[in-house]
Amino acid sequence: MGDKGFSIAGPIFFFASFIVTLRIAHGDLSYNIQEEMKRDSVIGNIAKDLGLDLRTLSSRKARIDFDGSRKRYCDINMRTGDLITSERIDRESLCGKKPSCVVQVDMVLQNPLDLHRVSVHIQDVNDNSPKFRENLIEMEIRESTEKGSRFSIEQAHDADIGQNAVQRYELQKNDIFILAADSNKVELVLENKLDRERQKEMNLLLTALDGGSPQRSGSVVIRVTVLDANDNAPVFSQAVYKASLPENSPLDTPVIKVSATDADEGVNGDVTYDLGHISDDNMNVFTIEHKTGEIRVTGVIDFEDRSSFEIPVQAKDGLGLKSYAKVTIEITDINDNAPAVSLESLSNSIPENVSPGTEVGIINVQDRDSENNGQVRCSIQHGVPFKLVPSIKNYYSLVTTGQLDRELVSDYNITITATDEGSPPLSSTKSVQLSVADINDNPPVFDEQSYSAYVSENNKPGSTLCSVSARDPDWRQNGTVVYSLLAGEVNGAPVSSYLSVNGDTGVIHAVRSFDYEQFRSFKVYVMARDNGSPPLSSNVTVSVFISDVNDNSPQILYPSPEGNSFMTELVPKAAHGGSLVSKVIAVDADSGQNAWLSYHIVKSTEPGLFTIGVHSGEIRTQRDISDSDSMKQNLVVAVKDNGQPSLSATCSMYLLISDNLAEVPELKDLSYNESNSKLTSYLIIALVSVSTFFLTFIIIILGLRFCRRRKPRLLFDGAVAIPSGYLPPNYADVDGTGTLRSTYNYDAYLTTGSRTSDFKFVTSYNDNTLPADQTLKKSSDFADPFEDLDTSLET
């Protein structure tokens, strides 16, 4: 018998060593590539096909995302724009026997978010040879078998598809059997009768050939043993068995039970079952009970890895006759995969002044389940100024919904929850950390609305007056505060000549020593500026109050302490006790208690004759004037202020007790008396030391008194002048401060050596003052008394 061959009818595919087909429709790309291409092989120039330049790919951070795949089969060459393979692609492990094997990838562009669906069709190459499950097929056929009987042979398996799968079978040339094969079965047909006595065993070589280029083949040896009898092979109840099995079914779960019958009896009718040729991947997934034909689960079944199985089943009788059937198992999906949330891109930090609706990140959600189990809803926690906006396919944009304020919240921990629609639903969460970048949107704010500084006059230059403090809630340089004085003037001088401020600490120092008598307070303005761009600032008023220090002694205005002339008052002999005879006028440039003056008589010619008002400075008679009182009275008055320590000044007051000028001695003796008073002090000291000087002292005193009586005329070396305009305009007449009351008016002058001088004593509204008729009259009234006095002295 000659060799018999056949071809399996089907479409003829011809592939070049590398074919790339591009189709553009609705913005999507489609490429055809062959499996088993080397890594980094070019699939196509995706940049050119989408009309993008290389700079756009880089600036928009182009990347490839895979839909539900754990492997990355391709990637983008950012330098050339080519879509390249990133690992070996095996169509058989990826798609099995499916006629169409497509890898769906997404090219994602950012800013703005854009997505292009790319379909990569994996074309089969002839990289697998046909393979029989066994290397040796043993058959036992009785010699009584009729001519034309058929014997089923298990088909060879080729992992390739189409033209590259098994196309035909060839049987070694022999005289007994011919081959009958089609797409569903392979059978040996008994062409001539068997004769066990002539040939009890024969070996036949069966070869399976595919249609690839180059062609591949696989062979099996069929050993036929000729028996005396076994006329019937097992017959399955169905040619194809179908079953449905949920994924993740536990081990030993029954799937389906097949059944075959054999018309023979005894050993010839005993049927056993076995699985036909299956791939290595399916070998450990199912098993069949040899006696019952029940198929059970022995491995892990994952719908996401494989959704269906096609298993050949063999029935064999006791003497080796076999028949075959197919079992198709459809795997149903259960909701066993929680959605996977991945962060595709996220801004490192978000400026706090971004407008609502700004995209800050892209979220991708994948669920490997199918249908409703793979439908996912995405949500975000409440209470954050962000929301998820569905974008393209399973992408979401994370956008802002309100104004951000870093000073209130600087970091956000956003929880994104993805829930599928399975029963029960599964969910997963993803935490996203977002930092808010600072913008210089807050000026420095001072701790107080205004500041007051108190300093005593005569302070040391460089002394600290006060400290200002401003806070800026911004970050780093935006919140760093620098202090400075605003330009201005104080008493006509720049403010910088009075104060300085430490730019870092806000401590204000005095540049010079202050004088309370020049000015008592002033205001400056301090600016706090941050280091932002542009910088923000705010101002505050600093009021500086200078407190008085007792650094000025009382100043005696009357009697004038300047010059060598004598200021003399005339006191009538008829003055009663309590009469006002004169007043000491003094002022103090200080203020407050430092300017409270008190008056004291520290020395007088007649102690007890005159007294002075402690606070008014008014000199009054303490008792009535008697004839024994000396005509010339000298008072030394001390004026003290109330400061700590107290400062003082002294003056001398000269009084003449007389009713008319004829009784007035020469005023030159007053100065002489003053010098002799000093001499008397020296003599007293000397008298204490040496008693012999006592007599000399008595003689001098008597001599002095004698000389006074013999003076021929009055001599006025000074003038008594108490004009109303004597007081400075700045000194008000205030009770208790030592200044003159406005009720007293001193506006007459006594001029030494002039008979025409006007004398006018104190005029007061006080009842205790001297009566007006006891004052000296105008110059015309004094002419005769002076003439009489001269005449009497000459005689």
Side-chain angles (χ1 to χ4, degrees):
M1 297 177 67
D3 291 343
K4 297 292 182 179
F6 75 95
S7 296
I8 299 176
I12 304 299
F13 294 91
F14 175 77
F15 295 101
S17 60
F18 176 74
I19 300 175
V20 177
T21 303
L22 171 65
R23 177 176 59 86
I24 301 179
H26 304 296
D28 292 345
L29 297 179
S30 179
Y31 295 98
N32 290 342
I33 66 169
Q34 292 180 350
E35 65 171 329
E36 305 294 343
M37 293 178 64
K38 293 182 179 180
R39 185 175 180 178
D40 295 332
S41 297
V42 177
I43 299 174
N45 194 300
I46 195 170
K48 180 179 178 181
D49 296 336
L50 291 176
L52 302 173
D53 55 37
L54 298 181
R55 288 180 298 177
T56 301
L57 288 181
S58 177
S59 63
R60 296 184 64 182
K61 300 179 181 179
R63 69 174 186 277
I64 294 295
D65 283 351
F66 285 82
D67 188 3
S69 176
R70 298 173 182 173
K71 295 183 179 181
R72 296 186 61 85
Y73 294 105
C74 55
D75 208 341
I76 297 179
N77 187 328
M78 301 298 289
R79 293 182 292 103
T80 62
D82 291 330
L83 183 66
I84 60 176
T85 60
S86 57
E87 62 177 76
R88 171 180 170 269
I89 302 177
D90 184 11
R91 192 205 64 81
E92 287 73 38
S93 62
L94 185 64
C95 300
K97 283 290 187 178
K98 292 181 181 179
S100 176
C101 185
V102 180
V103 176
Q104 299 285 357
V105 299
D106 294 327
M107 190 185 82
V108 181
L109 299 172
Q110 300 181 21
N111 299 319
L113 177 63
D114 195 7
L115 184 143
H116 296 275
R117 171 57 64 89
V118 179
S119 299
V120 180
H121 296 263
I122 311 300
Q123 303 294 343
D124 184 47
V125 298
N126 193 26
D127 58 339
N128 293 281
S129 298
K131 183 179 181 182
F132 290 94
R133 185 169 70 93
E134 298 172 335
N135 295 324
L136 177 64
I137 299 176
E138 293 185 356
M139 299 181 61
E140 294 177 345
I141 305 175
R142 289 191 179 275
E143 61 180 340
S144 60
T145 303
E146 295 293 332
K147 183 179 177 180
S149 297
R150 293 175 177 264
F151 303 94
S152 295
I153 304 297
E154 182 179 1
Q155 289 180 317
H157 174 75
D158 193 326
D160 295 323
I161 63 170
Q163 186 72 15
N164 295 325
V166 176
Q167 297 296 312
R168 62 191 178 91
Y169 292 88
E170 291 182 355
L171 182 65
Q172 180 184 0
K173 185 177 181 181
N174 64 90
D175 297 330
I176 306 298
F177 295 96
I178 62 174
L179 187 67
D182 58 24
S183 59
N184 293 320
K185 60 185 177 179
V186 177
E187 295 177 324
L188 289 178
V189 179
L190 186 62
E191 188 176 36
N192 295 307
K193 291 285 289 184
L194 294 172
D195 187 356
R196 184 177 181 278
E197 288 69 30
R198 181 181 176 185
Q199 187 178 8
K200 66 178 180 179
E201 183 179 283
M202 64 183 66
N203 292 323
L204 303 175
L205 181 65
L206 179 63
T207 303
L209 299 99
D210 61 23
S213 179
Q215 189 178 54
R216 293 175 178 266
S217 64
S219 301
V220 64
V221 175
I222 303 174
R223 180 177 294 171
V224 180
T225 302
V226 181
L227 301 176
D228 283 339
N230 186 15
D231 300 333
N232 297 287
V235 177
F236 280 97
S237 61
Q238 296 176 216
V240 177
Y241 293 87
K242 293 183 179 181
S244 178
L245 182 67
E247 66 172 323
N248 299 334
S249 294
L251 299 179
D252 207 34
T253 299
V255 180
I256 195 172
K257 188 175 182 179
V258 297
S259 176
T261 59
D262 194 313
D264 295 326
E265 294 181 353
V267 177
N268 294 331
D270 292 337
V271 179
T272 59
Y273 302 92
D274 201 357
L275 296 179
H277 180 75
I278 56 178
S279 65
D280 295 338
D281 295 337
N282 300 334
M283 186 176 298
N284 298 322
V285 178
F286 300 101
T287 186
I288 189 169
E289 289 289 338
H290 295 292
K291 293 295 183 180
T292 64
E294 185 176 50
I295 298 175
R296 293 179 175 271
V297 176
T298 58
V300 178
I301 300 175
D302 189 355
F303 174 85
E304 286 70 42
D305 289 339
R306 189 163 183 176
S307 61
S308 65
F309 294 87
E310 187 174 281
I311 303 173
V313 181
Q314 168 188 285
K316 178 181 178 182
D317 61 19
L319 294 180
L321 294 181
K322 301 176 183 178
S323 62
Y324 296 91
K326 289 183 179 180
V327 177
T328 302
I329 303 173
E330 296 292 334
I331 307 300
T332 59
D333 183 43
I334 64 172
N335 192 26
D336 60 339
N337 291 282
V341 181
S342 61
L343 186 63
E344 299 298 336
S345 66
L346 183 69
S347 301
N348 293 331
S349 60
I350 312 166
E352 59 179 323
N353 62 343
V354 296
S355 58
T358 301
E359 181 183 276
V360 298
I362 300 173
I363 307 298
N364 180 257
V365 182
Q366 296 279 354
D367 194 319
R368 299 182 66 231
D369 295 321
S370 61
E371 298 182 352
N372 288 342
N373 295 332
Q375 297 297 318
V376 180
R377 300 186 310 272
C378 240
S379 62
I380 195 172
Q381 72 196 71
H382 295 290
V384 293
F386 300 94
K387 68 177 180 179
L388 288 175
V389 177
S391 184
I392 304 171
K393 194 185 172 184
N394 51 354
Y395 286 88
Y396 293 83
S397 294
L398 182 62
V399 300
T400 59
T401 58
Q403 193 67 42
L404 304 179
D405 190 347
R406 190 206 66 85
E407 288 69 45
L408 295 178
V409 181
S410 60
D411 295 282
Y412 288 93
N413 186 7
I414 302 172
T415 301
I416 298 173
T417 303
T419 306
D420 61 29
E421 296 184 358
S423 179
L426 298 179
S427 64
S428 60
T429 60
K430 178 76 173 181
S431 294
V432 178
Q433 297 287 337
L434 287 176
S435 298
V436 181
D438 184 48
I439 298 297
N440 191 27
D441 56 347
N442 291 282
V445 178
F446 284 94
D447 293 343
E448 300 181 18
Q449 294 183 351
S450 63
Y451 291 85
S452 297
Y454 298 90
V455 59
S456 299
E457 64 174 328
N458 304 327
N459 59 291
K460 292 182 179 180
S463 59
T464 299
L465 300 186
C466 69
S467 176
V468 297
S469 178
R471 304 179 187 276
D472 194 321
D474 291 323
W475 181 246
R476 293 184 177 174
Q477 71 270 14
N478 293 334
T480 303
V481 180
V482 178
Y483 303 92
S484 61
L485 287 174
L486 292 180
E489 292 186 351
V490 176
N491 283 359
V495 67
S496 58
S497 64
Y498 288 89
L499 299 177
S500 67
V501 62
N502 188 305
D504 297 327
T505 63
V507 177
I508 298 177
H509 301 276
V511 175
R512 63 165 65 174
S513 179
F514 300 133
D515 188 357
Y516 176 83
E517 285 71 42
Q518 291 184 359
F519 54 90
R520 301 184 179 186
S521 65
F522 60 92
K523 292 182 178 180
V524 297
Y525 298 94
V526 177
M527 178 179 69
R529 175 182 54 82
D530 58 30
N531 284 329
S533 179
L536 301 178
S537 63
S538 59
N539 303 332
V540 71
T541 302
V542 179
S543 300
V544 180
F545 298 95
I546 304 169
S547 59
D548 185 43
V549 174
N550 192 28
D551 58 343
N552 291 282
S553 299
Q555 180 182 356
I556 299 175
L557 302 179
Y558 182 83
S560 174
E562 300 177 356
N564 296 322
S565 60
F566 300 109
M567 310 281 300
T568 307
E569 297 284 353
L570 194 62
V571 181
K573 293 181 179 180
H576 299 289
S579 297
L580 175 65
V581 297
S582 186
K583 181 174 181 176
V584 176
I585 303 174
V587 293
D588 196 315
D590 295 321
S591 66
Q593 65 179 10
N594 295 329
W596 296 350
L597 302 182
S598 61
Y599 302 84
H600 308 277
I601 297 176
V602 298
K603 184 180 179 182
S604 64
T605 304
E606 295 287 344
L609 179 56
F610 297 100
T611 182
I612 190 169
V614 175
H615 301 297
S616 64
E618 295 176 349
I619 300 176
R620 297 177 180 273
T621 56
Q622 192 170 358
R623 58 177 175 80
D624 294 342
I625 297 177
S626 63
D627 294 336
S628 61
D629 293 329
S630 175
M631 179 180 298
K632 292 178 295 183
Q633 297 290 328
N634 182 16
L635 303 180
V636 178
V637 178
V639 182
K640 298 181 179 180
D641 59 26
N642 198 39
Q644 294 295 330
S646 177
L647 301 178
S648 64
T650 60
C651 65
S652 295
M653 177 68 72
Y654 299 97
L655 303 176
L656 296 177
I657 301 176
S658 177
D659 289 332
N660 52 65
L661 291 177
E663 299 177 357
V664 177
E666 290 185 359
L667 295 179
K668 289 182 179 180
D669 291 341
L670 296 176
S671 62
Y672 181 70
N673 185 40
E674 178 65 21
S675 63
N676 287 329
S677 175
K678 294 181 180 180
L679 179 59
T680 302
S681 300
Y682 297 145
L683 291 178
I684 293 173
I685 296 172
L687 183 60
V688 173
S689 304
V690 184
S691 59
T692 56
F693 290 141
F694 176 75
L695 183 59
T696 305
F697 175 74
I698 297 299
I699 295 174
I700 292 174
I701 293 299
L702 294 176
L704 289 175
R705 287 186 177 273
F706 178 76
C707 291
R708 275 206 308 264
R709 292 194 182 98
R710 294 184 57 86
K711 290 294 179 182
R713 55 186 298 127
L714 287 171
L715 295 176
F716 289 87
D717 294 334
V720 178
I722 316 174
S724 61
Y726 193 91
L727 301 177
N730 292 336
Y731 294 100
D733 183 17
V734 180
D735 190 19
T737 62
T739 58
L740 183 64
R741 294 175 182 266
S742 60
T743 54
Y744 302 103
N745 188 9
Y746 298 82
D747 56 4
Y749 297 84
L750 176 61
T751 307
T752 304
S754 176
R755 295 177 180 266
T756 61
S757 298
D758 293 336
F759 286 83
K760 187 173 183 181
F761 282 90
V762 178
T763 302
S764 174
Y765 298 103
N766 194 320
D767 294 338
N768 294 326
T769 58
L770 294 175
D773 56 0
Q774 296 183 9
T775 60
L776 296 179
K777 298 181 180 180
K778 296 288 183 179
S779 59
S780 59
D781 297 334
F782 288 98
D784 293 339
F786 273 105
E787 292 178 358
D788 295 340
L789 179 61
D790 292 339
T791 304
S792 62
L793 290 177
E794 289 176 355
T795 57

